[in-house]
Amino acid sequence: MCGIIGYTGPRPVVTVLLDALSSLEYRGYDSAGIAVLDTSNVGVHVIKDNHKVVHLAREVESRHLPDGRTGIGHTRWATHGRPTALNAHPHSDCTGRLHVIHNGIVENFRELRELLTLRGHQFSSDTDTEVLPHLIEEFYDGNLTMAVRRAVASIEGVYALVAMSAIEPDRIVAARLSAPLVIGLGEEEMFAASDITALIPYTRSVALLGDGEIATLGPGTITVETLDGEPTEPRLVAVEWDAIQAQKNGYPHFLLKEIHEQPETLRNALRGRIADTGLVDLREIGISDELLAGIRDIVLVACGSAWYTAMVTRYALEHL
Ligand code: GLU
Protein backbone atom coordinates (compact mmCIF):
# COMPACT_ATOMS: atom_id res chain seq x y z
CA MET A 1 0.00 0.00 0.00
CA CYS A 2 1.35 3.37 -0.91
CA GLY A 3 2.12 6.24 1.44
CA ILE A 4 0.65 9.73 1.25
CA ILE A 5 1.67 12.92 3.02
CA GLY A 6 0.45 16.48 2.49
CA TYR A 7 1.49 19.50 4.56
CA THR A 8 0.78 23.19 4.85
CA GLY A 9 2.23 25.28 7.67
CA PRO A 10 5.36 27.04 8.93
CA ARG A 11 7.75 24.04 9.18
CA PRO A 12 10.35 23.44 6.45
CA VAL A 13 8.10 21.38 4.24
CA VAL A 14 10.79 19.30 2.50
CA THR A 15 11.93 17.87 5.85
CA VAL A 16 8.35 17.12 6.92
CA LEU A 17 7.61 15.31 3.64
CA LEU A 18 10.80 13.22 3.62
CA ASP A 19 10.50 12.28 7.32
CA ALA A 20 6.85 11.29 6.86
CA LEU A 21 7.66 9.22 3.76
CA SER A 22 10.38 7.39 5.73
CA SER A 23 7.91 6.58 8.49
CA LEU A 24 5.45 5.23 5.89
CA GLU A 25 8.06 3.00 4.23
CA TYR A 26 6.90 -0.04 6.21
CA ARG A 27 3.73 -0.06 4.04
CA GLY A 28 5.84 -1.09 1.03
CA TYR A 29 6.49 0.87 -2.19
CA ASP A 30 8.53 0.94 -5.37
CA SER A 31 9.18 4.63 -6.07
CA ALA A 32 8.76 7.99 -4.38
CA GLY A 33 8.32 11.68 -5.10
CA ILE A 34 7.52 15.11 -3.70
CA ALA A 35 6.16 18.43 -4.96
CA VAL A 36 6.94 21.59 -3.02
CA LEU A 37 5.62 25.09 -3.48
CA ASP A 38 8.56 27.37 -2.69
CA THR A 39 8.20 30.17 -0.14
CA SER A 40 8.41 32.93 -2.72
CA ASN A 41 5.55 31.21 -4.59
CA VAL A 42 7.66 31.33 -7.72
CA GLY A 43 6.83 27.79 -8.63
CA VAL A 44 6.34 24.17 -7.72
CA HIS A 45 9.37 21.90 -7.61
CA VAL A 46 8.70 18.24 -8.37
CA ILE A 47 11.31 15.56 -7.69
CA LYS A 48 10.63 11.88 -8.35
CA ASP A 49 12.79 8.79 -8.06
CA ASN A 50 12.34 5.09 -8.75
CA HIS A 51 14.40 4.09 -5.72
CA LYS A 52 13.99 4.32 -1.97
CA VAL A 53 13.15 7.44 0.04
CA VAL A 54 16.77 7.85 1.15
CA HIS A 55 17.73 8.07 -2.54
CA LEU A 56 15.02 10.65 -3.13
CA ALA A 57 16.35 12.61 -0.13
CA ARG A 58 19.86 12.62 -1.67
CA GLU A 59 18.41 13.81 -4.96
CA VAL A 60 16.51 16.59 -3.17
CA GLU A 61 19.68 17.65 -1.35
CA SER A 62 21.75 17.73 -4.53
CA ARG A 63 19.14 19.92 -6.23
CA HIS A 64 19.26 22.51 -3.37
CA LEU A 65 15.49 22.71 -3.36
CA PRO A 66 14.26 26.02 -1.93
CA ASP A 67 12.16 25.27 1.11
CA GLY A 68 8.49 26.07 1.19
CA ARG A 69 5.43 25.86 3.38
CA THR A 70 3.14 23.65 1.31
CA GLY A 71 3.87 20.32 -0.30
CA ILE A 72 2.84 16.74 -1.01
CA GLY A 73 4.80 13.49 -0.99
CA HIS A 74 4.11 9.90 -2.07
CA THR A 75 5.53 6.40 -1.99
CA ARG A 76 4.01 4.47 -4.88
CA TRP A 77 2.95 0.87 -5.11
CA ALA A 78 2.55 0.63 -8.88
CA THR A 79 -0.73 -0.76 -10.16
CA HIS A 80 -0.89 0.81 -13.64
CA GLY A 81 2.39 1.61 -15.36
CA ARG A 82 5.84 0.32 -14.45
CA PRO A 83 7.71 1.56 -11.37
CA THR A 84 9.73 4.30 -13.10
CA ALA A 85 10.55 7.86 -12.06
CA LEU A 86 8.16 9.17 -14.73
CA ASN A 87 5.28 7.10 -13.36
CA ALA A 88 6.06 8.03 -9.74
CA HIS A 89 3.73 10.56 -8.10
CA PRO A 90 3.07 13.53 -7.82
CA HIS A 91 1.44 13.89 -11.24
CA SER A 92 0.74 17.30 -12.76
CA ASP A 93 -1.64 19.00 -15.16
CA CYS A 94 -0.65 20.57 -18.50
CA THR A 95 0.00 24.00 -16.95
CA GLY A 96 2.31 22.72 -14.18
CA ARG A 97 0.16 24.47 -11.54
CA LEU A 98 -1.83 21.48 -10.25
CA HIS A 99 -0.23 18.48 -8.54
CA VAL A 100 -1.80 15.29 -7.22
CA ILE A 101 -0.77 12.22 -5.23
CA HIS A 102 -3.09 9.25 -5.20
CA ASN A 103 -3.52 5.86 -3.59
CA GLY A 104 -5.93 3.48 -5.31
CA ILE A 105 -7.12 2.76 -8.82
CA VAL A 106 -9.04 4.83 -11.37
CA GLU A 107 -10.95 2.04 -13.09
CA ASN A 108 -12.29 4.14 -15.98
CA PHE A 109 -8.93 5.80 -16.69
CA ARG A 110 -8.71 4.54 -20.30
CA GLU A 111 -11.97 6.23 -21.33
CA LEU A 112 -11.06 9.39 -19.41
CA ARG A 113 -7.58 9.51 -20.90
CA GLU A 114 -8.98 9.22 -24.43
CA LEU A 115 -11.52 11.94 -23.72
CA LEU A 116 -8.96 14.28 -22.16
CA THR A 117 -6.46 13.64 -24.99
CA LEU A 118 -9.16 14.63 -27.51
CA ARG A 119 -9.60 17.82 -25.51
CA GLY A 120 -5.88 18.57 -25.95
CA HIS A 121 -4.38 17.29 -22.68
CA GLN A 122 -0.82 15.95 -22.85
CA PHE A 123 -0.03 12.89 -20.75
CA SER A 124 3.48 12.11 -19.60
CA SER A 125 3.04 8.82 -17.69
CA ASP A 126 1.39 5.41 -18.09
CA THR A 127 -0.52 5.65 -14.82
CA ASP A 128 -4.24 5.65 -14.19
CA THR A 129 -3.60 8.45 -11.66
CA GLU A 130 -2.55 11.03 -14.25
CA VAL A 131 -6.15 11.52 -15.40
CA LEU A 132 -6.79 13.17 -12.01
CA PRO A 133 -4.65 16.35 -12.40
CA HIS A 134 -5.94 16.75 -15.97
CA LEU A 135 -9.55 16.36 -14.84
CA ILE A 136 -8.94 18.87 -12.05
CA GLU A 137 -7.43 21.23 -14.66
CA GLU A 138 -10.64 20.90 -16.73
CA PHE A 139 -12.74 22.09 -13.79
CA TYR A 140 -10.29 24.54 -12.20
CA ASP A 141 -11.21 28.21 -11.97
CA GLY A 142 -9.16 29.13 -8.90
CA ASN A 143 -11.16 26.95 -6.45
CA LEU A 144 -9.23 23.72 -5.89
CA THR A 145 -11.84 22.13 -3.62
CA MET A 146 -14.59 22.53 -6.18
CA ALA A 147 -12.36 21.21 -8.98
CA VAL A 148 -11.33 18.14 -6.93
CA ARG A 149 -15.00 17.46 -6.08
CA ARG A 150 -15.96 17.53 -9.76
CA ALA A 151 -12.95 15.44 -10.76
CA VAL A 152 -13.65 12.65 -8.26
CA ALA A 153 -17.30 12.64 -9.34
CA SER A 154 -16.06 11.69 -12.84
CA ILE A 155 -14.02 8.69 -11.80
CA GLU A 156 -14.90 5.11 -10.92
CA GLY A 157 -12.67 3.27 -8.48
CA VAL A 158 -11.08 3.94 -5.13
CA TYR A 159 -8.92 6.79 -4.02
CA ALA A 160 -7.14 8.61 -1.28
CA LEU A 161 -5.68 11.72 -2.83
CA VAL A 162 -4.12 15.05 -1.97
CA ALA A 163 -3.99 17.93 -4.45
CA MET A 164 -2.33 21.33 -4.40
CA SER A 165 -2.33 24.35 -6.68
CA ALA A 166 0.45 26.88 -7.26
CA ILE A 167 -2.10 29.68 -7.26
CA GLU A 168 -3.64 28.72 -3.89
CA PRO A 169 -0.33 28.46 -2.01
CA ASP A 170 -1.58 27.88 1.56
CA ARG A 171 -3.99 25.12 0.77
CA ILE A 172 -4.10 21.39 0.20
CA VAL A 173 -7.23 19.43 -0.63
CA ALA A 174 -7.61 15.81 0.50
CA ALA A 175 -10.31 13.32 -0.50
CA ARG A 176 -10.94 9.65 0.06
CA LEU A 177 -13.21 6.78 -1.02
CA SER A 178 -12.47 3.25 0.24
CA ALA A 179 -8.76 4.01 0.76
CA PRO A 180 -7.15 5.25 3.98
CA LEU A 181 -6.48 8.94 4.72
CA VAL A 182 -6.31 10.82 8.02
CA ILE A 183 -5.90 14.51 8.81
CA GLY A 184 -3.45 15.76 11.43
CA LEU A 185 -4.36 19.05 13.09
CA GLY A 186 -1.80 21.55 14.35
CA GLU A 187 -2.12 25.14 15.58
CA GLU A 188 -0.82 26.84 12.48
CA GLU A 189 -0.46 23.76 10.31
CA MET A 190 -2.32 20.80 8.81
CA PHE A 191 -1.29 17.36 7.60
CA ALA A 192 -2.95 14.69 5.46
CA ALA A 193 -1.48 11.18 5.62
CA SER A 194 -2.22 7.55 4.76
CA ASP A 195 -1.94 6.60 8.40
CA ILE A 196 -1.33 7.97 11.84
CA THR A 197 2.31 6.79 11.90
CA ALA A 198 3.38 9.80 9.82
CA LEU A 199 1.56 12.26 12.10
CA ILE A 200 2.75 11.09 15.52
CA PRO A 201 5.98 13.19 15.61
CA TYR A 202 3.91 16.35 15.00
CA THR A 203 0.44 16.05 16.50
CA ARG A 204 -1.85 13.79 18.52
CA SER A 205 -4.94 15.54 17.27
CA VAL A 206 -6.43 13.73 14.29
CA ALA A 207 -9.56 14.08 12.15
CA LEU A 208 -10.91 10.94 10.51
CA LEU A 209 -12.09 11.60 6.99
CA GLY A 210 -15.22 9.62 6.10
CA ASP A 211 -15.76 7.76 2.85
CA GLY A 212 -16.64 10.24 0.10
CA GLU A 213 -15.52 13.29 2.08
CA ILE A 214 -13.26 16.11 0.93
CA ALA A 215 -11.17 18.20 3.33
CA THR A 216 -9.77 21.64 2.54
CA LEU A 217 -6.74 22.32 4.73
CA GLY A 218 -4.99 25.63 5.41
CA PRO A 219 -2.44 26.54 8.11
CA GLY A 220 -4.61 25.81 11.17
CA THR A 221 -7.92 25.57 9.31
CA ILE A 222 -10.00 22.61 8.18
CA THR A 223 -13.33 22.38 6.40
CA VAL A 224 -14.90 19.10 5.36
CA GLU A 225 -17.64 18.51 2.82
CA THR A 226 -19.35 15.60 1.11
CA LEU A 227 -19.16 14.77 -2.61
CA ASP A 228 -22.35 16.84 -3.03
CA GLY A 229 -20.64 19.87 -1.52
CA GLU A 230 -22.61 19.67 1.76
CA PRO A 231 -20.51 20.87 4.73
CA THR A 232 -19.98 18.24 7.43
CA GLU A 233 -18.26 18.24 10.84
CA PRO A 234 -14.77 16.68 11.02
CA ARG A 235 -14.66 13.67 13.41
CA LEU A 236 -11.85 14.51 15.83
CA VAL A 237 -9.94 11.91 17.87
CA ALA A 238 -6.97 12.13 20.22
CA VAL A 239 -4.28 9.56 19.41
CA GLU A 240 -2.59 7.79 22.30
CA TRP A 241 -0.54 5.27 20.31
CA ASP A 242 3.21 5.52 19.90
CA ALA A 243 4.73 5.14 16.41
CA ILE A 244 5.13 1.34 16.62
CA GLN A 245 1.58 0.82 17.91
CA ALA A 246 0.33 3.02 15.07
CA GLN A 247 2.17 0.90 12.50
CA LYS A 248 0.45 -2.16 13.95
CA ASN A 249 -2.90 -0.38 13.63
CA GLY A 250 -4.05 -1.51 17.10
CA TYR A 251 -3.09 -5.20 16.65
CA PRO A 252 -0.72 -6.70 19.25
CA HIS A 253 1.77 -7.73 16.57
CA PHE A 254 2.46 -7.38 12.83
CA LEU A 255 1.64 -10.99 11.92
CA LEU A 256 -1.90 -10.63 13.26
CA LYS A 257 -2.32 -7.32 11.44
CA GLU A 258 -1.18 -8.86 8.16
CA ILE A 259 -3.53 -11.84 8.60
CA HIS A 260 -6.48 -9.49 9.13
CA GLU A 261 -5.44 -7.31 6.20
CA GLN A 262 -5.56 -10.22 3.73
CA PRO A 263 -9.13 -9.67 2.44
CA GLU A 264 -8.37 -5.99 1.83
CA THR A 265 -5.03 -6.81 0.19
CA LEU A 266 -6.72 -9.29 -2.16
CA ARG A 267 -9.47 -6.82 -2.98
CA ASN A 268 -6.84 -4.17 -3.80
CA ALA A 269 -4.87 -6.57 -5.98
CA LEU A 270 -7.94 -7.60 -8.00
CA ARG A 271 -9.60 -4.18 -8.21
CA GLY A 272 -9.74 -2.86 -11.77
CA ARG A 273 -8.36 -6.11 -13.16
CA ILE A 274 -11.53 -8.17 -13.57
CA ALA A 275 -13.54 -7.14 -16.63
CA ASP A 276 -17.37 -7.05 -16.56
CA THR A 277 -17.27 -10.36 -18.42
CA GLY A 278 -15.51 -11.93 -15.41
CA LEU A 279 -12.25 -12.33 -17.36
CA VAL A 280 -8.95 -11.19 -15.90
CA ASP A 281 -7.63 -8.03 -17.56
CA LEU A 282 -3.88 -7.49 -17.11
CA ARG A 283 -3.37 -5.17 -20.05
CA GLU A 284 -1.08 -2.87 -18.08
CA ILE A 285 1.59 -5.60 -17.86
CA GLY A 286 1.93 -5.42 -21.64
CA ILE A 287 2.19 -9.17 -22.37
CA SER A 288 0.35 -10.15 -25.54
CA ASP A 289 -2.02 -13.14 -25.80
CA GLU A 290 0.38 -14.71 -28.33
CA LEU A 291 3.30 -14.46 -25.92
CA LEU A 292 1.22 -15.95 -23.10
CA ALA A 293 0.03 -18.78 -25.35
CA GLY A 294 3.67 -19.58 -26.20
CA ILE A 295 4.74 -20.08 -22.56
CA ARG A 296 5.58 -23.73 -21.83
CA ASP A 297 7.16 -23.59 -18.36
CA ILE A 298 6.50 -21.38 -15.36
CA VAL A 299 8.97 -21.23 -12.48
CA LEU A 300 7.65 -20.07 -9.10
CA VAL A 301 10.37 -18.88 -6.73
CA ALA A 302 9.56 -18.46 -3.04
CA CYS A 303 10.67 -19.25 0.48
CA GLY A 304 8.96 -19.52 3.85
CA SER A 305 5.18 -19.66 3.79
CA ALA A 306 5.22 -18.22 0.26
CA TRP A 307 6.77 -21.56 -0.78
CA TYR A 308 3.58 -23.36 0.30
CA THR A 309 1.56 -20.79 -1.63
CA ALA A 310 3.76 -21.49 -4.66
CA MET A 311 3.07 -25.24 -4.34
CA VAL A 312 -0.68 -24.65 -4.25
CA THR A 313 -0.35 -22.28 -7.20
CA ARG A 314 1.54 -24.96 -9.14
CA TYR A 315 -1.40 -27.35 -8.78
CA ALA A 316 -3.86 -24.60 -9.71
CA LEU A 317 -1.86 -23.63 -12.80
CA GLU A 318 -1.38 -27.20 -13.97
CA HIS A 319 -5.06 -27.91 -13.45
CA LEU A 320 -6.10 -24.83 -15.45
N1 GLU B 1 -2.81 3.36 -9.33
C1 GLU B 1 -1.82 4.34 -9.03
C2 GLU B 1 -0.52 4.08 -9.79
O1 GLU B 1 -0.29 3.00 -10.26
C3 GLU B 1 -1.58 4.50 -7.53
C4 GLU B 1 -0.81 3.36 -6.95
C5 GLU B 1 -0.65 3.48 -5.43
O2 GLU B 1 -1.67 3.35 -4.72
O3 GLU B 1 0.51 3.67 -4.99
O4 GLU B 1 0.26 4.99 -9.90
Side-chain angles (χ1 to χ4, degrees):
M1 276 195 300
C2 83
I4 277 183
I5 178 71
Y7 178 77
T8 183
R11 295 180 204 254
V13 68
V14 173
T15 313
V16 173
L17 298 181
L18 292 173
D19 286 352
L21 290 183
S22 304
S23 68
L24 293 170
E25 280 192 299
Y26 80 98
R27 296 166 68 88
Y29 67 104
D30 50 53
S31 51
I34 59 170
V36 174
L37 183 64
D38 72 35
T39 19
S40 51
N41 295 345
V42 174
V44 177
H45 304 268
V46 182
I47 299 188
K48 312 203 275 191
D49 195 286
N50 61 339
H51 296 96
K52 294 291 164 193
V53 173
V54 47
H55 204 271
L56 175 73
R58 259 184 252 136
E59 179 72 21
V60 170
E61 202 179 335
S62 73
R63 299 260 290 266
H64 303 291
L65 207 62
D67 222 325
R69 55 185 187 226
T70 302
I72 54 180
H74 187 265
T75 46
R76 175 175 185 238
W77 186 307
T79 67
H80 293 69
R82 291 153 59 88
T84 60
L86 214 59
N87 287 337
H89 302 205
H91 288 289
S92 314
D93 72 332
C94 297
T95 67
R97 293 178 308 178
L98 300 163
H99 303 268
V100 177
I101 50 175
H102 163 234
N103 167 21
I105 291 177
V106 181
E107 289 181 12
N108 56 339
F109 82 97
R110 286 191 192 91
E111 298 89 298
L112 289 171
R113 193 170 164 132
E114 267 168 36
L115 214 80
L116 288 161
T117 306
L118 284 176
R119 289 184 58 79
H121 290 262
Q122 306 262 328
F123 284 78
S124 52
S125 81
D126 306 318
T127 63
D128 52 334
T129 297
E130 202 189 344
V131 296
L132 284 164
H134 292 284
L135 274 175
I136 294 172
E137 180 186 358
E138 277 286 312
F139 301 124
Y140 192 58
D141 65 359
N143 182 339
L144 186 59
T145 311
M146 186 274 292
V148 167
R149 176 155 35 84
R150 294 186 63 186
V152 294
S154 316
I155 65 167
E156 287 158 24
V158 295
Y159 56 83
L161 67 86
V162 184
M164 67 179 212
S165 161
I167 57 172
E168 294 176 79
D170 293 318
R171 173 169 297 186
I172 53 174
V173 174
R176 70 170 283 264
L177 186 74
S178 306
L181 196 67
V182 289
I183 309 297
L185 293 84
E187 286 211 353
E188 298 288 325
E189 59 188 352
M190 286 286 163
F191 304 79
S194 311
D195 72 45
I196 290 168
T197 321
L199 306 178
I200 280 176
Y202 307 106
T203 179
R204 298 281 164 155
S205 179
V206 165
L208 302 176
L209 205 56
D211 239 4
E213 287 182 350
I214 301 175
T216 305
L217 309 174
T221 63
I222 173 171
T223 55
V224 181
E225 60 187 66
T226 64
L227 290 181
D228 303 325
E230 289 298 317
T232 166
E233 279 303 305
R235 282 175 302 137
L236 303 181
V237 290
V239 175
E240 274 149 28
W241 290 342
D242 62 27
I244 297 293
Q245 285 168 318
Q247 285 186 358
K248 290 192 242 169
N249 201 16
Y251 290 103
H253 48 78
F254 280 111
L255 183 59
L256 202 58
K257 175 180 178 245
E258 285 171 12
I259 288 169
H260 283 274
E261 277 176 354
Q262 284 181 92
E264 188 57 29
T265 305
L266 269 179
R267 261 195 294 275
N268 286 341
L270 296 175
R271 188 172 284 126
R273 301 202 162 93
I274 309 287
D276 293 339
T277 53
L279 290 176
V280 176
D281 180 353
L282 291 175
R283 250 182 292 180
E284 83 262 18
I285 295 179
I287 302 179
S288 66
D289 288 351
E290 295 71 45
L291 189 75
L292 276 177
I295 291 174
R296 290 285 160 260
D297 294 298
I298 296 174
V299 181
L300 300 166
V301 183
C303 66
S305 51
W307 181 48
Y308 298 114
T309 311
M311 290 199 290
V312 174
T313 306
R314 181 177 66 184
Y315 287 115
L317 285 175
E318 284 173 355
H319 175 73
L320 288 169

